[in-house]
Amino acid sequence: MIVTTSPPVTGSWYWVDDQNAHWRPEHYYSPGMAVTAEAKIYGIPLAQGLFGQQDERVSFKIGESHVSVADDRTKQVSVFRNGTLVRTMPTSMGMGGTEQIGGRTLSFWTPPGIYTVLDKGNPVVMDSSTFGLPKNSRLGYRETINYATRISIDGIYMHQLDATVWAQGNTNTSHGCLNLNADNAKWFYDFSVPGDVVEVRNTGGPPLALQQNGDWTVPWDQWRKGSALGSR
């Protein structure tokens, strides 16, 4: 598997598990960078009795820089386009604490770390039972949410929630998502594209895990050790 970039940058694969490997450079991709990923696997033994059927190749170009910083100390999200601040949005993040449900410990923090935009939906049905919290329990819910931009694999979104406008900018009330008012949620939804960076700072609880979409949270030295080449 080969990744080439123009201009060239230092990058490395990281084996997340036995079947999935992620590649990233040491620092954020720069605007305008051209990237080509190739998997030369035709005829290669991949498992017992399993061989690659064809090579694969994909190329794409990096767009402009979008970096958002959500700081729990100020409870504001600062959005930067190509290094210039373009919008500041009050937010209400995870209320904190944990709940024991069915032998599991559920956390209500927004994990600190570096996320990326995964996808978005308008609307999205959010149901707490999907992560083990019954919708009819004390903290349970099932709601249809507008302008939802997803930043973690396990369902952390930046989204509209009119019911917490009073708290946005001063009090954390959510189960982990970043609540925004209607204007800001729609603006961020329209602005964002997959791969955009969202840095969450100064929150409590455990940090964002690799399995949650935390590739950029892993320190570079540790990331390189996750490569098959780095382990030799």
Side-chain angles (χ1 to χ4, degrees):
M1 298 186 297
I2 301 170
V3 175
T4 55
T5 66
S6 179
V9 293
T10 299
S12 177
W13 292 96
Y14 186 104
W15 282 95
V16 180
D17 53 38
D18 290 343
Q19 294 183 315
N20 294 279
H22 295 177
W23 189 94
R24 52 158 270 214
E26 181 177 2
H27 305 292
Y28 295 154
Y29 294 93
S30 58
M33 177 180 288
V35 183
T36 297
E38 298 178 271
K40 298 182 178 181
I41 59 173
Y42 177 74
I44 300 296
L46 303 177
Q48 185 173 359
L50 181 65
F51 296 84
Q53 292 187 330
Q54 64 183 35
D55 295 340
E56 295 288 349
R57 185 178 189 273
V58 62
S59 296
F60 55 92
K61 193 171 185 178
I62 303 299
E64 61 184 12
S65 171
H66 292 177
V67 177
S68 299
V69 179
D71 192 334
D72 197 27
R73 289 179 181 163
T74 62
K75 294 178 175 54
Q76 304 285 326
V77 181
S78 301
V79 183
F80 297 85
R81 172 190 278 136
N82 294 326
T84 299
L85 179 66
V86 293
R87 199 171 183 97
T88 301
M89 309 182 297
T91 189
S92 178
M93 292 192 267
M95 69 182 81
T98 58
E99 188 93 354
Q100 297 291 325
I101 302 288
R104 295 177 57 201
T105 300
L106 302 180
S107 173
F108 300 117
W109 297 97
T110 303
I114 302 173
Y115 301 68
T116 56
V117 170
L118 295 172
D119 53 38
K120 50 190 179 179
N122 181 41
V124 169
V125 176
M126 297 189 180
D127 187 338
S128 64
S129 64
T130 60
F131 61 87
L133 181 64
K135 65 180 181 181
N136 59 352
S137 63
R138 181 176 66 89
L139 293 172
Y141 59 87
R142 179 182 170 85
E143 296 186 51
T144 299
I145 301 295
N146 294 327
Y147 297 111
T149 302
R150 187 165 69 103
I151 61 173
S152 84
I153 290 170
D154 55 347
I156 295 177
Y157 287 79
M158 298 176 69
H159 66 77
Q160 176 183 345
L161 194 61
D162 295 339
T164 65
V165 168
W166 66 269
Q168 293 166 23
N170 61 81
T171 306
N172 287 331
T173 61
S174 85
H175 292 67
C177 290
L178 290 84
N179 297 171
L180 303 169
N181 68 30
D183 287 345
N184 285 330
K186 182 181 186 305
W187 180 89
F188 191 77
Y189 181 95
D190 292 339
F191 172 82
S192 298
V193 295
D196 286 357
V197 172
V198 179
E199 300 179 4
V200 174
R201 301 177 181 176
N202 300 315
T203 57
L208 182 70
L210 176 65
Q211 293 76 14
Q212 293 173 284
N213 186 31
D215 285 16
W216 289 106
T217 297
V218 179
W220 180 244
D221 288 346
Q222 181 181 338
W223 183 268
R224 293 183 64 187
K225 292 177 182 178
S227 166
L229 295 176
S231 62
R232 289 180 181 175

